Amino acid sequence: MKHHKTYNAMELKTPKGELIIEGPIPSNLLRDYEFHKDLVSFRPPEQQKKALVEIADLPEGRIIIARDRDTIVGYVTYLYPDPLERWSEGKMDNLIELGAIEVIPEFRGSGTGKNLLRVSMMDDAMEDYIIITTEYYWHWDLKGTGLNVWEYRKIMEKMMNAGGLVWYATDDPEISSHPANCLMVKIGKRIDQDSIQRFDQLRFMNRFMY
């Protein structure tokens, strides 16, 4: 499968200033931008920047960023699922995962996350993919936001809905381990029935155990 990537961008006015939301961004540009010190949800900022540069170099990898001048203040990543997860077991070249989304506290609540997703989906090539994201409550910044697990889940769902992702059922043990965890999915317009059936088999791998 050829992975076509078409750059899109928009300006977002927020109470804290104007942001540029753009992507997919190539690795050479990512290297030149500053990575905000508050992007710490997954790993220390320098390590996370290195990870994003590596994803941008993957054939299927996509990085959409929100930047304040030359400083990245938010991002979303798309790439093939981790080989250790069930979603990679179908070896589907048209299934990609929204792996991480992060916005610094200063710009949360200003629509930055939603617009990262909207810009992601501006590329027509996204209609060639089944896009998934697995939401686990232990990745959420409950402490920093002061929200409870259900309030945070509601915000995450609304944000994903902005990119066209909706809730899908699954028997994946990790997702099923807590009722706030969920699988969200967007099936592109050009996805064939065979791919949908293969994806359904990945969603429900334990159905014969009941």
Side-chain angles (χ1 to χ4, degrees), residues 56-130:
D57 277 335
L58 296 171
E60 84 285 3
R62 292 168 176 265
I63 306 290
I64 315 298
I65 63 166
R67 65 178 170 86
D68 178 10
R69 292 181 285 275
D70 290 332
T71 301
I72 296 173
V73 297
Y75 63 85
V76 59
T77 72
Y78 297 87
L79 71 166
Y80 281 142
D82 188 305
L84 299 174
E85 292 185 339
R86 73 157 62 182
W87 313 107
S88 66
E89 288 178 30
K91 295 184 167 45
M92 297 176 66
D93 62 1
N94 59 352
L95 189 155
I96 58 171
E97 183 169 17
L98 189 167
I101 183 164
E102 185 177 10
V103 175
I104 66 167
E106 189 182 345
F107 285 101
R108 287 180 196 162
S110 62
T112 306
K114 285 182 180 177
N115 284 295
L116 279 165
L117 290 169
R118 287 184 183 122
V119 170
S120 304
M121 303 306 170
M122 284 178 185
D123 188 347
D124 180 66
M126 294 298 253
E127 299 296 348
D128 295 319
Y129 296 106
I130 295 173

Side-chain angles (χ1 to χ4, degrees), residues 92 130 187 191-201:
M92 297 176 66
I130 295 173
I187 294 178
I191 293 294
D192 59 279
Q193 201 56 41
D194 178 58
S195 294
I196 292 171
Q197 285 176 345
R198 286 168 68 196
F199 176 57
D200 286 344
Q201 286 165 358

Side-chain angles (χ1 to χ4, degrees), residues 146-159:
L147 299 173
N148 69 37
V149 71
W150 295 109
E151 290 166 336
Y152 205 106
R153 155 79 185 261
K154 201 171 179 184
I155 285 171
M156 289 305 295
E157 271 202 76
K158 270 188 172 175
M159 186 161 64

